[in-house]
Amino acid sequence: MNAAETPMVKAEAVSKSYGSNTVLRSISLEVKRGEVLCLVGPSGSGKSTFLRCINHLETVSTGRLSVDGQLVGYRQHGDKIYELHPKEAAKQRRDIGMVFQRFNLFPHMTAVENVMLAPTLLKKGLPKSQAKARALELLARVGLAERSDYYPSQLSGGQQQRVAIARALAMEPKLMLFDEPTSALDPELVGEVLEVMKELAKSGMTMIVVTHEMGFAREVADTLVFMDGGVVVESGDPREVLSNPQHQRTKAFLSKVL
Amino acid sequence: MSDMPSRPAGSETPPAGSGTDTPPEAIKAIKLRHPWRMVLAVVLIVLVVLFVVDAAVNRPVYNWTEVGKYLFDTRVVEAAGYTLQLTVYSMVIAIILGIVLAVMRLSPNPVVKSVAWVYLWLFRGTPVYVQLVFWGLIGVIYKSIDIGLPGSEPWLSITTSDLLSYFALAVIGLALNEAAYMAEIVRAGLLAVDRGQEEAATALGLGWWHTMSRVILPQAMRVIIPPTGNEVISMLKTTSLVIAVPFTLELFTRTSDIAAKTYQPVPMLIVASIWYLAITSILMVGQYYLEKHYAKGIDQRPAVQQPTVETSAVAAVDTEVPPSNHHAGGGA
């Protein structure tokens, strides 16, 4: 395609270390608009850390990471790179939705209040009634229209995670990050969350999903990336990687989870 | 694949549990008896009655008529009002300042952090009585408050004793001391909120202020309120120390003054105690409602176990539609 087609996420030799402990080693990858990328690998392989770098919850130690052509957490001026003010970093994050393993819903707010909080506070000039209507729409989209007035503690894990997805969508992000969204769920509740995510993928949302759900990865992902020990071991078409892994470590991992 | 041994059609099997019309009977068990509770209660009641009768009949020093005479004496009622004002004003200031100090202590800025630490060290490390005496002497130490550049004529100069009454000094003294304790209570509350909450708020693009005021603090309140209630009640009684300033119109000093004239200290002590107890009781009711307000979303969990509209819909779809290839199940 043409040069204007900047990738949604571009990582070039991204590394991250805490002191002497290196958790990411020279990760390079690209996610195009509308693409779904699944990150799989054993725990401690750095997949969650990488995900958290993308919206600057963690800072990258070396390399460059950009979202929609913009450097994450920094601003470039000539060859100098400046740290972003927290306010600017916050602004950057508004375009990136994130869903956590442990939902992290705000327990003192109802489902609809959770969803409308960020738009009410951050979108200037948006009347509250409109924010609420929009929040209810989003809840309906994740199948929870009837639960809008429930507090998180009154919802099942699967329902909470769907509210969390609706909350992340409320700021109309161009990229969604999922950090093991189904790992804290009872097995019978996993399906309803994956169903919502499939819908989202179908609607053209760019998504990066850290997951252990190989079925989901096979069906929905455009690219599957297998990470271990902070490096990308193997990546490619999910069906290809899952059925015919090239690398020994990938084989060993998949034989345990499939 | 349509001839899979799929689930039988819904009309064949009645849903489980719908066979019987009457609900199962509750267990009728003979209640376990606790005879010693009764014995203990009776013994205590007898002791209390004996004490009350004795106090009413055999102890003239209590002088109950004197208690009745002074309980609603204008001076006493006014003094109770001052005590309540001292408590409320100093606690309001202490809570606000305490929140500020707690946030300062958790700040990543080392300068701000040290300022809060030194404040706590100073105000927790010295007795409140000593601090109150100091505040009383502030007009002597700093005769006037000047605003201007050092070494030049001040633009504005106010005599300290004109600006600050003994009442104001009492409030300042109590509030600044209490703020140090409130800071620790608030800090404990802030630290008790799950880290994931801050992360979720940050990921939504909320700034620090919104994260604190809308997400972290409201949840911290649940942890902060019970010990703060404790502090309020403690403050109510600490106000009896403001004689150190000297502010003399609050409850304890006022009743002591009256007792000094009537030569009957005991009835006036009882009068003061009754007022302290009454105010404490009112404050406890307030605390109950505050706690209830901030428990929102925490102690409710009725509907969790019931099937939801949408999950039962999923189940219905599951039984009617034969499984097809495109319908790949979620949990692989």
Side-chain angles (χ1 to χ4, degrees):
Chain A
M1 303 280 179
N2 56 43
E5 189 69 22
T6 46
M8 185 57 83
V9 177
K10 187 170 186 185
E12 297 166 89
V14 166
S15 299
K16 166 82 188 168
S17 45
Y18 300 99
S20 60
N21 179 21
T22 307
V23 286
L24 293 177
R25 282 168 218 271
S26 192
I27 307 274
S28 294
L29 54 82
E30 240 183 65
V31 185
K32 294 194 189 69
R33 259 157 235 284
E35 214 179 45
V36 176
L37 179 120
C38 277
L39 278 171
V40 301
S43 54
S45 59
K47 13 184 233 314
S48 287
T49 307
F50 180 63
L51 200 70
R52 293 159 58 82
C53 284
I54 297 173
N55 71 350
H56 203 47
L57 283 180
E58 307 274 353
T59 49
V60 169
S61 308
T62 61
R64 323 169 115 252
L65 183 58
S66 53
V67 172
D68 205 10
Q70 273 197 317
L71 224 47
V72 173
Y74 300 97
R75 186 184 23 180
Q76 190 165 20
H77 223 59
D79 3 311
K80 283 201 182 126
I81 288 181
Y82 299 90
E83 221 176 303
L84 280 189
H85 189 274
K87 267 187 189 153
E88 296 169 283
K91 208 174 248 173
Q92 238 178 18
R93 286 193 192 98
R94 285 170 209 169
D95 289 335
I96 306 170
M98 185 160 190
V99 174
F100 299 87
Q101 181 178 356
R102 311 231 12 126
F103 329 136
N104 294 351
L105 287 181
F106 306 132
H108 57 302
M109 299 179 196
T110 61
V112 69
E113 286 168 350
N114 263 280
V115 178
M116 63 193 276
L117 178 74
T120 335
L121 293 179
L122 302 176
K123 289 198 171 165
K124 304 276 178 253
L126 179 75
K128 212 170 175 186
S129 58
Q130 217 173 310
K132 183 163 185 182
R134 170 96 183 104
L136 289 172
E137 235 168 75
L138 283 167
L139 283 174
R141 187 167 165 197
V142 298
L144 288 171
E146 322 239 337
R147 305 260 137 172
S148 62
D149 289 330
Y150 283 59
Y151 285 99
S153 63
Q154 298 168 307
L155 299 172
S156 73
Q159 292 169 339
Q160 288 189 51
Q161 194 59 297
R162 285 186 283 153
V163 174
I165 293 173
R167 181 177 69 175
L169 289 172
M171 286 304 288
E172 293 164 329
K174 47 192 177 191
L175 169 68
M176 285 283 283
L177 309 174
F178 293 84
D179 189 3
E180 301 200 27
T182 58
S183 297
L185 294 177
D186 287 345
E188 58 171 339
L189 302 178
V190 168
E192 64 188 58
V193 172
L194 292 182
E195 208 54 53
V196 168
M197 291 168 63
K198 278 181 213 167
E199 280 303 315
L200 200 56
K202 232 183 269 173
S203 76
M205 177 63 77
T206 314
M207 295 162 55
I208 301 181
V209 186
V210 171
T211 187
H212 293 302
E213 299 291 338
M214 298 305 160
F216 174 83
R218 188 195 301 270
E219 191 189 343
V220 180
D222 298 295
T223 314
L224 185 131
V225 171
F226 174 74
M227 283 178 71
D228 189 19
V231 297
V232 172
V233 176
E234 191 164 346
S235 70
D237 181 88
R239 276 156 290 252
E240 196 58 33
V241 176
L242 288 173
S243 53
N244 187 20
Q246 298 300 306
H247 206 284
Q248 201 53 45
R249 270 196 283 177
T250 321
K251 274 180 200 163
F253 176 75
L254 291 177
S255 71
K256 278 177 207 145
V257 296
L258 282 179
Chain B
M1 297 294 272
S2 55
D3 57 355
M4 259 180 87
S6 60
R7 272 160 260 189
S11 58
E12 293 280 327
T13 42
S18 72
T20 46
D21 289 331
T22 49
E25 262 179 63
I27 297 170
K28 278 184 195 140
I30 293 155
K31 281 257 161 64
L32 187 62
R33 302 200 184 278
H34 301 281
W36 286 105
R37 291 181 190 175
M38 278 310 273
V39 173
L40 185 63
V42 168
V43 169
L44 284 175
I45 288 170
V46 168
L47 284 176
V48 168
V49 167
L50 281 177
F51 178 80
V52 168
V53 169
D54 171 73
V57 180
N58 299 336
R59 311 285 157 183
V61 179
Y62 280 131
N63 199 343
W64 295 102
T65 43
E66 188 85 352
V67 171
K69 201 168 112 197
Y70 282 102
L71 188 56
F72 294 106
D73 185 283
T74 345
R75 287 169 292 174
V76 173
V77 175
E78 261 177 33
Y82 274 118
T83 290
L84 194 57
Q85 282 182 52
L86 283 171
T87 308
V88 172
Y89 296 158
S90 52
M91 277 315 291
V92 167
I93 297 171
I95 289 170
I96 294 167
L97 193 54
I99 292 172
V100 172
L101 285 165
V103 171
M104 281 168 78
R105 277 205 77 182
L106 296 173
S107 154
N109 181 335
V111 180
V112 166
K113 214 177 191 163
S114 318
V115 169
W117 188 89
V118 169
Y119 183 97
L120 254 72
W121 174 75
L122 193 64
F123 281 89
R124 279 200 316 182
T126 52
V128 63
Y129 194 86
V130 173
Q131 289 173 30
L132 286 169
V133 174
F134 254 115
W135 284 108
L137 294 172
I138 200 99
V140 179
I141 306 170
Y142 303 98
K143 287 201 170 51
S144 64
I145 296 168
D146 301 338
I147 297 170
L149 292 173
S152 69
E153 196 64 20
W155 305 325
L156 184 69
S157 181
I158 308 166
T159 309
T160 309
S161 51
D162 291 348
L163 184 70
L164 298 166
S165 63
Y166 284 141
F167 179 79
L169 287 172
V171 169
I172 291 172
L174 292 172
L176 294 194
N177 177 260
E178 182 58 30
Y181 293 91
M182 280 310 302
E184 287 297 272
I185 290 172
V186 174
R187 189 166 71 103
L190 294 177
L191 291 176
V193 178
D194 185 52
R195 283 266 304 140
Q197 293 291 310
E198 187 187 342
E199 217 156 65
T202 308
L204 278 174
L206 298 192
W208 179 88
W209 172 249
H210 280 145
T211 302
M212 266 296 163
S213 62
R214 307 304 287 272
V215 177
I216 309 288
L217 257 181
Q219 293 184 60
M221 286 309 268
R222 224 167 44 82
V223 180
I224 293 171
I225 288 170
T228 302
N230 229 6
E231 292 299 305
V232 174
I233 288 165
S234 164
M235 175 60 84
L236 176 71
K237 292 166 297 180
T238 309
T239 56
S240 59
L241 297 182
V242 296
I243 181 67
V245 172
F247 180 77
T248 54
L249 296 177
E250 55 71 44
L251 193 53
F252 180 69
T253 313
R254 207 69 214 265
T255 49
S256 303
D257 287 350
I258 294 172
K261 278 185 207 129
T262 59
Y263 297 110
Q264 297 225 38
V266 177
M268 292 319 291
L269 284 176
I270 294 172
V271 166
S273 300
I274 290 172
W275 274 102
Y276 281 123
L277 273 173
I279 298 173
T280 304
S281 310
I282 295 166
L283 292 174
M284 282 168 77
V285 173
Q287 182 180 348
Y288 169 80
Y289 283 104
L290 259 184
E291 276 181 28
K292 221 169 132 182
H293 174 77
Y294 282 106
K296 233 177 16 179
I298 303 296
D299 294 332
Q300 303 145 314
R301 42 179 72 246
V304 179
Q305 298 305 328
Q306 292 161 20
T308 63
V309 180
E310 66 281 357
T311 45
S312 46
V314 168
V317 169
D318 244 16
T319 47
E320 278 156 29
V321 181
S324 62
N325 286 340
H326 118 132
H327 193 91

